Amino acid sequence: MKLSTSKFNETLEGMGSGAKTRSPGDDAEAVIETRDLRMRYGSAEVLRGLDLRVRRGEVVALLGPNGAGKTTTIEILEGFRRRSGGEARVLGVDPDDAGEAWRARLGIVLQSWRDHGRWRVRELLAHLGDYYAPYGAPGRPRPYDVGELLGWVGLTGQADAVIGTLSGGQRRRLDVAVGLIGRPDLLFLDEPTVGFDPQARQDFHELVHRLAGLEDTTILLTTHDLDEADRLADRIVILVAGTIVADGTAAELSRRVSGTAEVRYRLDGQAHVTSVEDATGHVRGLFERHADAITDLEVRRVRLQDVYLAMVREFESGRRTEAPRHLAEVTA
Amino acid sequence: MTGGVNPRAKAALAGLRRGRIELRQSVTSAQDLWGALFFPAVALLVMYLLRGRTVPGTAFSLGSQAVPGILALNVVLNGMMALAMTLTMDREDGTLLRAKATPNGVIGYLVGKITGRAGMVLVGLLVPLVPSLLLFDGLRPDRLDTWLILAWVLALGLAAIMPFGAILGSLASSAQGLGVVTVPMMALMAISGAFYPVTAFPGWVQAIAQAFPLYWIGLGLRSALLPAGLSAAEIGASWRHLETAAVLGLWAVAGFAAAPAVLRRMARRESGSAVAARRAKAMQRLM
């Protein structure tokens, strides 16, 4: 399937502008708040003014193709990278000059770790947990019990294994456990399920729901998999070329694009494709005007998946290196 | 929320545990033991073959005279070069980033790294020393003096070289980058009186040798292990303990003054994408 550029612009414009009007639970405490967040590396602009708000207890997926700026965004929020411009508040503090007490409230799972290969699983978790102990509070003791945590991530059987001998999926579970050991208020997960088999993926999804539901952990995760974002997150923020092009629950985003349909047909042997809001009316018009000259008619409802994938293809093929101009305007 | 000294002290204690764990890993790893003991094993073997030759002007075996210098070289190799190497490797595999992601984790990481490495320096000193005492005549392990001098020279020597190991490891962009330091290190090893009395070299070479800790650690170990009379073969015909303490102390002060800023800069630059970029580069090198 191939979608025209104008199509995304239409559909995404709808998504973007829709985000502005939605307001469930807006008064809840903001755990992450950015305003006009910008990042430049030399002359390359990687983030072009992000306005992002994540409320306490929310699970938000930052969805986008490779190179969209997801990791950069997360690294700025983690305090690992200084932003070039704009405002950022994470747990009420500017991450650029936050201290260790702030860091103790974060959990971080990066895309890939290879560290501590000679340590044993339980040994490393217990060791890292020690650093969090002074930051515990009566209502929120830190760190987690290592045995309990190993059970959650399904590594009980590997507790005494040397980390370097773990399989890729086990290593990733350990990375998640390390991110959780300090009982974080806010957890960053960068591409958490890469290398997971379907069962591990399922277990991980359950863990995320448990953390958000029972442990009062706010989660910001990145993924390039819409399906995963849909299953894990309360809200999806689509990032393309350093710009937020859509922001809403999966249901909202789907509803917004599903109003659009793609109509394909041949008129006098020539192929045509158009995207329309009112497919029925459009088709009726076609027949009224052209009658029998119309052949091979096909009407297809546009799904969120289609819009997203087409956008990613175009971005990755290099045809688009920045967000469509009027999209940027919509979200600015 | 608690903050301030207490969590930092806790992190430093965690660092000591970390050092113990890493030392245990090193002494049970054939690769690490080989790395720590390879040089003295080879050098001592060579010196054993040369034991029949004597120090000029004395009847003392040249082989025996070289033992403390070889041990001193190993102290610098294990205490400085290996520390620098592990620091670059820990940046490459994300260990340092993990420390940075943990509250006060960098404190614990450094305490662990330094104590673990210091432990390996001891292993690298004592393990070759025991067979040396049996193989070489004239070494003096039976005096209390020997061990007292050994202790303070080693403590001060480590204080002098470890900060620079950490600085080198922070500045080198990769383990390969440390190769630049290896060549001058070899030159320094050659002129620092380990293999041959330093008084045999021209004055300007002696001056260069005396500017660096290696010579003084070697001198200190010789003063601990060799008979008092052999000080005649040294510069000024003395073990020069005062000067040894002064030079090593100066290096220690300079190192401790410079290291925190360099280490902070290195830690500040760590991020997931920095680790990923280094890894990509390392992969390219392999291909």
Side-chain angles (χ1 to χ4, degrees):
Chain A
M1 192 195 85
K2 186 165 175 280
L3 286 169
S4 64
T5 305
S6 65
K7 161 69 100 4
F8 320 132
N9 295 359
E10 276 162 40
T11 40
L12 289 171
E13 189 175 331
M15 290 154 78
S17 56
K20 295 212 150 171
T21 56
R22 57 180 295 281
S23 63
D26 259 357
D27 346 320
E29 182 192 339
V31 170
I32 296 175
E33 193 156 29
T34 73
R35 186 169 290 279
D36 195 31
L37 187 66
R38 288 175 182 278
M39 190 70 198
R40 267 184 306 275
Y41 298 122
S43 61
E45 215 175 356
V46 179
L47 298 180
R48 303 159 183 264
L50 254 52
D51 291 339
L52 182 66
R53 189 179 156 90
V54 177
R55 287 173 295 273
R56 184 170 160 181
E58 246 189 330
V59 179
V60 173
L62 208 50
L63 175 68
N66 295 329
K70 303 189 297 286
T71 296
T72 299
T73 305
I74 277 214
E75 286 187 352
I76 290 171
L77 299 175
E78 287 165 346
F80 283 171
R81 199 169 273 285
R82 283 181 175 271
R83 61 187 183 269
S84 312
E87 293 294 312
R89 283 274 177 285
V90 175
L91 295 165
V93 181
D94 184 334
D96 277 359
D97 36 52
E100 299 300 302
W102 173 81
R103 178 142 314 280
R105 301 176 64 197
L106 302 187
I108 291 174
V109 179
L110 293 184
Q111 278 189 27
S112 72
W113 296 99
R114 299 184 304 166
D115 60 304
H116 292 95
R118 307 208 300 192
W119 288 58
R120 292 176 190 281
V121 169
R122 188 202 306 275
E123 189 178 55
L124 178 64
L125 286 172
H127 173 71
L128 293 175
D130 286 344
Y131 294 85
Y132 292 89
Y135 297 102
R140 206 164 178 84
R142 300 177 206 270
Y144 277 121
D145 176 69
V146 172
E148 186 184 6
L149 193 55
L150 286 173
W152 286 5
V153 298
L155 282 180
T156 306
Q158 282 75 37
D160 294 311
V162 172
I163 291 170
T165 65
L166 297 180
S167 72
Q170 288 169 341
R171 168 84 225 199
R172 205 74 193 117
R173 289 162 185 245
L174 172 65
D175 293 337
V176 172
V178 170
L180 285 174
I181 184 71
R183 196 186 293 262
D185 295 313
L186 171 60
L187 178 64
F188 292 103
L189 296 164
D190 201 356
E191 306 277 356
T193 58
V194 171
F196 275 17
D197 59 36
Q199 181 59 48
R201 196 171 291 261
Q202 180 62 35
D203 293 347
F204 177 76
H205 290 177
E206 276 165 27
L207 176 60
V208 165
H209 290 141
R210 163 187 213 140
L211 289 169
L214 299 177
E215 304 290 325
D216 193 23
T217 309
T218 306
I219 299 176
L220 179 64
L221 61 96
T222 70
T223 178
H224 50 242
D225 181 355
L226 175 66
D227 185 49
E228 177 156 284
D230 182 13
R231 280 207 271 165
L232 282 177
D234 301 322
R235 189 151 60 85
I236 298 175
V237 174
I238 301 183
L239 193 63
V240 176
T243 306
I244 292 176
V245 295
D247 180 349
T249 65
E252 284 174 310
L253 298 184
S254 298
R255 221 177 299 131
R256 257 174 244 144
V257 296
S258 65
T260 322
E262 185 181 71
V263 179
R264 294 163 170 265
Y265 56 90
R266 285 182 176 275
L267 175 57
D268 299 326
Q270 176 113 33
H272 291 264
V273 183
T274 43
S275 305
V276 292
E277 293 284 325
D278 174 16
T280 317
H282 183 75
V283 170
R284 188 183 301 120
L286 281 177
F287 281 121
E288 278 168 4
R289 268 174 281 138
H290 307 293
D292 288 350
I294 299 287
T295 56
D296 290 346
L297 176 74
E298 200 179 320
V299 178
R300 199 164 181 282
R301 209 169 264 284
V302 174
R303 294 171 307 143
L304 183 56
Q305 185 83 6
D306 301 329
V307 176
Y308 175 65
L309 287 179
M311 183 172 67
V312 168
R313 265 199 304 275
E314 185 153 312
F315 181 73
E316 284 181 345
S317 69
R319 262 176 293 153
R320 188 190 293 295
T321 51
E322 42 185 73
R325 187 153 34 86
H326 70 272
L327 267 186
E329 281 164 15
V330 165
T331 50
Chain B
M1 176 107 357
T2 42
V5 175
N6 184 32
R8 287 170 177 235
K10 288 253 168 76
L13 283 176
L16 290 178
R17 285 194 292 280
R18 182 181 186 86
R20 204 188 59 219
I21 290 170
E22 293 195 333
L23 180 60
R24 191 200 67 214
Q25 289 165 353
S26 286
V27 297
T28 53
S29 147
Q31 194 190 344
D32 281 22
L33 285 177
W34 176 248
L37 300 173
F38 163 77
F39 166 74
V42 171
L44 291 172
L45 190 69
V46 170
M47 285 304 151
Y48 184 69
L49 300 175
L50 291 178
R51 69 192 180 283
R53 297 172 62 178
T54 57
V55 179
T58 72
F60 197 77
S61 154
L62 190 63
S64 303
Q65 195 268 350
V67 170
I70 289 167
L71 297 177
L73 280 174
N74 207 37
V75 166
V76 174
L77 287 176
N78 282 325
M80 190 177 87
M81 297 306 286
L83 177 63
M85 186 76 80
T86 50
L87 228 61
T88 60
M89 284 178 353
D90 283 352
R91 274 189 296 153
E92 231 158 62
D93 73 11
T95 301
L96 191 74
L97 182 58
R98 182 82 84 189
K100 196 181 159 185
T102 310
N104 303 303
V106 176
I107 295 174
Y109 169 81
L110 287 174
V111 169
K113 204 43 56 180
I114 286 167
T115 52
R117 260 294 119 198
M120 271 319 265
V121 167
L122 270 182
V123 169
L125 177 70
L126 297 179
V127 171
L129 181 59
V130 174
S132 299
L133 294 174
L134 300 171
L135 292 174
F136 295 93
D137 294 328
L139 300 178
R140 305 284 312 273
D142 48 335
R143 297 174 308 187
L144 176 64
D145 243 34
T146 299
W147 300 100
L148 287 179
I149 298 172
L150 213 59
W152 76 255
V153 169
L154 198 60
L156 209 50
L158 287 178
I161 60 173
M162 291 191 98
F164 287 94
I167 289 172
L168 283 177
S170 309
L171 294 180
S173 59
S174 67
Q176 280 71 18
L178 285 172
V180 181
V181 194
T182 315
V183 174
M185 260 306 283
M186 305 272 262
L188 208 54
M189 283 163 68
I191 63 168
S192 285
F195 302 107
Y196 207 75
V198 73
T199 41
F201 297 115
W204 63 272
V205 175
Q206 292 182 26
I208 295 174
Q210 291 178 82
F212 292 95
L214 176 56
Y215 166 76
W216 296 98
I217 297 172
L219 180 66
L221 295 190
R222 280 195 293 280
S223 81
L225 290 164
L226 299 180
L230 275 185
S231 62
E234 303 292 342
I235 298 169
S238 154
W239 293 127
R240 295 196 290 170
H241 279 165
L242 217 60
E243 289 90 333
T244 304
V247 175
L248 292 181
L250 268 177
W251 275 90
V253 168
F256 278 100
V262 179
L263 287 167
R264 262 200 298 276
R265 173 175 164 274
M266 168 191 74
R268 200 170 49 236
R269 291 172 152 211
E270 274 323 281
S271 69
S273 28
V275 172
R278 268 198 298 274
R279 182 166 332 132
K281 231 165 133 186
M283 296 299 279
Q284 268 179 352
R285 272 200 304 271
L286 288 176
M287 294 207 247

